[in-house]
Amino acid sequence: MHAARFYDRGDIRVEEIDEPAVKAGQVGIDVAWCGICGTDLHEFLDGPIFCPSGRTS
């Protein structure tokens, strides 16, 4: 499956990953469409604000 992964400000990569296994007590959802909101845009342009980055300090 494809996943958009946030690595750091201005660095979002669409990657092929293994589909997660649905375990007991969980629900799997087949997403047909997805969008972004203003907070996502700020995270990409100015972040990381809420999402941790891949940087080690």
Side-chain angles (χ1 to χ4, degrees):
M1 72 181 263
H2 288 91
R5 291 179 150 178
F6 176 82
Y7 283 90
D8 208 345
R9 179 179 48 193
D11 187 6
I12 294 177
R13 305 172 200 171
V14 176
E15 300 176 335
E16 185 69 29
I17 64 167
D18 293 334
E19 189 166 337
V22 179
K23 300 174 185 166
Q26 297 179 335
V27 176
I29 299 173
D30 187 14
V31 178
W33 295 92
C34 182
I36 65 169
C37 71
T39 303
D40 298 326
L41 181 60
H42 289 295
E43 196 74 34
F44 177 75
L45 295 174
D46 304 321
I49 301 167
F50 302 107
C51 296
S53 73
R55 289 184 281 177
T56 55
S57 303

